[in-house]
């Protein structure tokens, strides 16, 4: 479906005397999309230069919201952003949110497997073909030298469906983000074996992107937003007690789960949003795998979509 920028436009810097930026992210209370909600919690937007008002919402159709003009800035997986641009979204990635591919290998709690190598010949659950979990499973199998008939993949839809398949024995393992993986392990419904970011290679789990209308018409505000976004992320990364307060008191997270996320996930958040050429190549590879309409994109295309906020 072609994405075309709508006529909703951006809220102007002088609308009602405020500089308003509307942000939409993929999930609420997601550690991989840290900066916007951290900025809200820390009330950092009033300290930006220029000062601004930031509203944050969450929903699956992030690219569509930016395309329609109902949001100025989005936070989502980079392959989905680049795929949307290839379909007509007029936007640019301005920085990483979590600059590592944050997925974990998960098995049944009674599994004897201790690593991916032990799962040869087993069945892996994925939410859908082309998903991040599908991509990670395929990458690990390739790295292990497995042929296509030495493992199986089955689509199970949502995380609830995957968990049901794990419990029934229909599937043996799956790959998912840390927040859900840790929660399942704490509840005794799964076992987490390893993080796969080093195997998947240089990449980014989530990125911050802005409509080109916003970048062209209000570049100083985009830069101010990004600067405050990464300042908020850094404050949470550097202060364990502050991170705990936000996740437990504001997000309603179990304290033990919050402690594990603070230890294992939060350190992977980006402090400045910078993406390396190797990360852009990894993003392109993931995009080719997950977004079939983006098969013709080159690294030059991805580099042109990336407009680092400090250089606007």
């Amino acid at each position: 479906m072609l994405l075309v920028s709508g006529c909703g436009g951006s809220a102007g810097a002088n609308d009602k005397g405020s500089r308003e930026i509307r942000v939409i992210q993929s999930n609420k209370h997601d550690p991989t999309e840290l900066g916007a909600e951290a900025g809200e919690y820390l009330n950092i937007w009033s300290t930006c230069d220029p000062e601004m008002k930031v509203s944050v919402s969450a929903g699956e159709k992030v690219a569509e919201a930016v395309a329609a003009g109902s949001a100025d800035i989005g936070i989502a997986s980079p392959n989905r952003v680049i795929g949307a641009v290839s379909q007509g979204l007029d936007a640019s990635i301005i920085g990483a949110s979590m600059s590592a591919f944050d997925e974990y290998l998960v098995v049944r709690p009674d599994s004897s497997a201790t690593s991916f190598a032990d799962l040869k010949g087993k069945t892996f659950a994925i939410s859908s073909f082309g998903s991040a979990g599908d991509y990670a499973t395929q990458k690990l199998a390739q790295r292990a030298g497995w042929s296509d008939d030495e493992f199986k993949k089955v689509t199970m839809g949502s995380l609830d469906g995957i968990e049901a398949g794990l419990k029934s024995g229909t599937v043996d393992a799956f790959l998912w983000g840390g927040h859900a993986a840790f929660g399942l392990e704490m509840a005794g419904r799964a076992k987490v074996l390893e993080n796969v970011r080093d195997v998947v290679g240089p990449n980014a789990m989530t990125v911050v992107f802005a409509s080109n209308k916003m970048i062209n018409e209000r570049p100083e505000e985009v830069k101010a937003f990004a600067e405050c976004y990464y300042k908020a992320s850094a404050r949470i990364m550097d202060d364990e007690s502050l991170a705990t307060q936000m996740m437990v008191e504001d997000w309603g997270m179990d304290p033990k789960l919050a402690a594990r996320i603070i230890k294992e996930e939060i350190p992977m958040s980006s402090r400045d949003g910078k993406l390396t050429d190797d990360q852009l190549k990894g993003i392109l590879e993931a995009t080719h795998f997950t977004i079939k309409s983006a098969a013709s994109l080159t690294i030059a295309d991805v580099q042109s979509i990336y407009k680092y906020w400090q250089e606007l």
Side-chain angles (χ1 to χ4, degrees), residues 2 8 12 15 25 39 43 48 56 69 82 85 106 160 162 167 179 192 222 274 286 301 308:
L2 182 66
D15 287 355
Q25 56 191 47
N43 193 27
C48 300
V56 183
I82 293 171
V85 170
V106 183
D160 288 342
I162 291 175
K167 183 177 181 180
H179 188 181
V192 177
V222 174
K274 187 70 174 177
D301 294 321
Y308 186 43

Side-chain angles (χ1 to χ4, degrees), residues 219-266:
E220 293 306 314
E221 290 173 47
V222 174
K223 290 172 71 173
F225 167 82
E227 182 176 11
C228 285
Y229 183 97
Y230 294 112
K231 281 182 179 179
S233 294
R235 283 186 61 186
I236 295 298
M237 293 167 72
D238 292 339
D239 192 330
E240 183 176 334
S241 63
L242 187 61
T244 301
Q245 288 175 11
M246 183 182 76
M247 293 183 181
V248 175
E249 297 176 9
D250 190 54
W251 292 11
M253 190 179 292
D254 180 281
K256 291 183 179 179
L257 177 58
R260 187 166 183 184
I261 287 173
I262 291 167
K263 178 182 178 181
E264 299 188 39
E265 277 200 293
I266 295 301

Side-chain angles (χ1 to χ4, degrees), residues 158-193:
S158 67
L159 181 62
D160 288 342
I162 291 175
E163 184 185 351
L166 199 70
K167 183 177 181 180
S168 69
T170 304
V171 299
D172 302 291
F174 68 98
L175 288 123
W176 207 271
H179 188 181
F182 299 157
L184 288 174
E185 184 170 62
M186 286 179 56
R189 301 198 296 269
K191 180 168 63 174
V192 177
L193 296 188

Side-chain angles (χ1 to χ4, degrees), residues 36-49:
E37 287 185 280
E40 281 192 326
Y41 182 73
L42 298 170
N43 193 27
I44 203 167
W45 311 119
S46 62
T47 70
C48 300
D49 184 17

Side-chain angles (χ1 to χ4, degrees), residues 199-213:
V199 178
V200 172
N203 207 310
M205 194 68 184
T206 48
V207 294
V208 183
F209 67 103
S211 70
N212 284 327
K213 178 180 176 64

Side-chain angles (χ1 to χ4, degrees), residues 57-124:
S57 61
E60 292 183 2
K61 298 185 177 182
V62 175
E64 289 87 342
V66 174
S70 59
D72 306 305
I73 288 176
I75 307 167
S77 61
N79 53 304
R80 296 194 183 278
V81 177
I82 293 171
V85 170
S86 74
Q87 295 176 316
L89 173 65
D90 188 22
S92 299
I93 292 172
I94 62 171
S97 181
M98 180 168 278
S99 52
F101 194 88
D102 180 55
E103 289 220 329
Y104 292 78
L105 179 60
V106 183
V107 296
R108 289 193 298 273
D110 61 349
S111 174
S112 62
T114 59
S115 69
F116 187 81
D118 296 331
L119 296 167
K120 189 174 183 178
K122 301 298 184 181
T123 300
F124 291 81

